[in-house]
Amino acid sequence: VKVRSALQEERPISMKEDVVSIQYIPLETTDSCLISNLLNLQVTTDYMFMYNGKTEEVLQFDRKGKFIRRVGRQGNGPGEYSMISELAVDDSNKELSIFQYGGDALVYSYDGSFLRNDTTVKQAGGMYVFADGKRALKGLVMKPFEQAPWAGALQQADGLLLKSKSLFPQGLSQDVCFMKEICFSPSTEGVLLFTACNDTVAGIYANGIEPAYVLKRENPTEYYVDIANINKFRDNTVETDQIIGVYDLFESPHYLYLRLYKGDAIFIQRFDKKTGELKSQRIPDDYLECSAAIPGGNVIGMDNDIDGGIPFWPEYVMADGGRAQVVNADILLALREKGYLKQAPDVLNIGDEANPVVILYKFKR
């Protein structure tokens, strides 16, 4: 994937070529379920589970947006969690896993009952469950050195680790190796795994781990070593205006989508998996100014040319292979103040105190 050369020519990318339908789900707003800082979303066949970072709560809604319950609670007792890193679902067995920094994952049923501690995933910060029960694990990044020895791994349902991948560059001593960030992006085909210190995107599949893509960022050789060196973690010279970084990526059945940055500019690139065509488009500064953060709370994406809704960048995977995006009232107001959303669906007209709207995308097969 010739990332750097594609940045030289801007070519419009159309949602119409890939997205079949869009569903908008306003979340019920009551005093029991106010969401101010959504950090993770898991969409199953029947439910939506959300981690609200500000209140450190896990909330459960149905697929129509009706609030059902809080799942578990903070504390030190059985079934209580402390610092949450991520959520994961096993839709076949109707189980929700809450991953913690430095502790077991806690497993709950979809009815909110605490089932067990999962002691087999202590080094993981997230998970994706395949149809055959195997699990792709995301490495847990903690500062400075308490972290998994791998970026991603494949595990049997009984906890046996089958394969793992670190993605560290050659020539870096093990005592300073640090995964600054891990992009762990599930799809219907598998999980894409990426870290900044390597141009290879690995694929975790039910039958193993193998290279999926090589992003030809063509950064200086020393960058890949320095970015993974804990001693240079806060060294601003590691990244310059000529460095191409990757915020995140995801797959649809037909395309690989990338969100990149070079200097102050952010780009969307879309790679056609069948033809090899690569399109690149710079994101308007307005979208950056309307956004709160990456990841989460942002509309740093490409224009919605289907129904005039918010810019397209669905960060979250759905159990049926679609993708999900979340937008809150503050971002909607900011977009409107800049002149956007004049033709947007009425469902995006929500009050200032309303909970976010979840947006579900279905792709062409």
Side-chain angles (χ1 to χ4, degrees):
V1 183
K2 297 180 179 179
V3 168
R4 185 172 291 270
S5 59
L7 293 180
Q8 309 306 314
E9 180 185 1
E10 185 166 328
R11 303 171 62 193
I13 303 172
S14 171
M15 283 176 59
K16 293 178 180 178
E17 296 168 342
D18 199 23
V19 176
V20 173
S21 63
I22 306 174
Q23 181 183 3
Y24 295 89
I25 305 175
L27 299 178
E28 179 183 357
T29 305
T30 69
D31 291 341
S32 301
C33 62
L34 292 177
I35 296 174
S36 56
N37 184 23
L38 191 146
L39 297 180
N40 193 265
L41 168 67
Q42 296 289 323
V43 182
T44 74
T45 305
D46 299 312
Y47 301 109
M48 297 184 288
F49 296 94
M50 302 172 192
Y51 170 38
N52 187 20
K54 188 170 184 178
T55 60
E56 295 286 334
E57 293 177 318
V58 178
L59 306 176
Q60 182 179 3
F61 294 79
D62 68 17
R63 284 286 294 262
K64 294 182 179 179
K66 180 177 175 56
F67 176 63
I68 297 176
R69 63 175 63 88
R70 293 188 182 96
V71 180
R73 63 180 182 179
Q74 276 191 301
N76 298 313
E80 296 177 341
Y81 42 78
S82 54
M83 293 179 61
I84 297 174
S85 64
E86 208 156 311
L87 308 179
V89 292
D90 179 351
D91 211 27
S92 297
N93 292 310
K94 310 300 182 188
E95 292 181 350
L96 167 73
S97 293
I98 299 178
F99 283 78
Q100 306 179 86
Y101 288 103
D104 299 338
L106 306 179
V107 184
Y108 299 80
S109 67
Y110 281 6
D111 66 7
S113 302
F114 174 66
L115 299 176
R116 63 187 180 276
N117 284 41
D118 189 343
T119 60
T120 71
V121 293
K122 279 185 179 294
Q123 293 181 313
M127 178 178 73
Y128 176 77
V129 182
F130 294 102
D132 65 357
K134 293 192 185 78
R135 307 188 290 189
L137 302 180
K138 176 183 179 180
L140 178 65
V141 175
M142 296 182 68
K143 303 171 185 177
F145 293 111
E146 295 180 46
Q147 59 177 330
W150 32 260
L154 179 65
Q155 184 188 59
Q156 285 186 171
D158 62 6
L160 177 66
L161 208 65
L162 300 174
K163 299 278 185 179
S164 64
K165 194 71 175 174
S166 73
L167 294 177
F168 285 121
Q170 293 182 352
L172 188 65
S173 60
Q174 188 172 356
D175 61 322
V176 299
C177 284
F178 179 74
M179 288 175 284
K180 184 177 181 182
E181 55 205 18
I182 300 173
C183 180
F184 184 86
S185 180
S187 70
T188 52
E189 299 175 23
V191 176
L192 295 183
L193 182 72
F194 179 80
T195 59
C197 56
N198 200 306
D199 278 354
T200 299
V201 180
I204 306 178
Y205 308 104
N207 61 349
I209 302 176
E210 61 186 45
Y213 302 95
V214 176
L215 309 180
K216 297 196 71 175
R217 293 187 289 165
E218 300 173 358
N219 291 328
T221 303
E222 58 270 18
Y223 161 81
Y224 299 98
V225 177
D226 290 349
I227 201 75
N229 187 339
I230 187 64
N231 296 326
K232 299 190 177 184
F233 178 67
R234 300 190 183 280
D235 187 350
N236 293 329
T237 63
V238 171
E239 295 195 6
T240 69
D241 289 346
Q242 294 305 309
I243 295 296
I244 296 176
V246 178
Y247 277 124
D248 46 15
L249 49 83
F250 71 90
E251 277 188 305
S252 72
H254 293 283
Y255 298 101
L256 169 71
Y257 291 86
L258 302 163
R259 187 158 60 170
L260 314 165
Y261 63 90
K262 182 174 180 286
D264 294 331
I266 301 181
F267 300 84
I268 298 290
Q269 290 192 346
R270 191 184 71 184
F271 178 76
D272 189 313
K273 295 190 283 186
K274 183 177 181 180
T275 68
E277 180 185 43
L278 179 62
K279 291 184 176 181
S280 183
Q281 184 174 341
R282 180 168 175 163
I283 296 172
D285 291 340
D286 283 350
Y287 296 173
L288 278 65
E289 293 171 9
C290 292
S291 298
I294 295 180
N298 75 82
V299 285
I300 303 175
M302 64 193 210
D303 291 334
N304 182 334
D305 59 354
I306 293 180
D307 62 13
I310 69 167
F312 169 83
W313 189 265
E315 296 185 39
Y316 305 104
V317 68
M318 297 164 53
D320 61 4
R323 304 287 299 191
Q325 189 171 0
V326 180
V327 63
N328 61 37
D330 289 341
I331 290 178
L332 290 169
L333 176 61
L335 286 168
R336 288 195 169 92
E337 287 179 344
K338 289 184 177 291
Y340 298 98
L341 304 183
K342 292 179 180 178
Q343 306 298 323
D346 290 339
V347 71
L348 292 178
N349 292 315
I350 60 175
D352 293 345
E353 304 299 322
N355 266 339
V357 176
V358 177
I359 306 168
L360 307 181
Y361 299 96
K362 183 178 180 181
F363 295 100
K364 295 180 179 179
R365 304 301 301 177

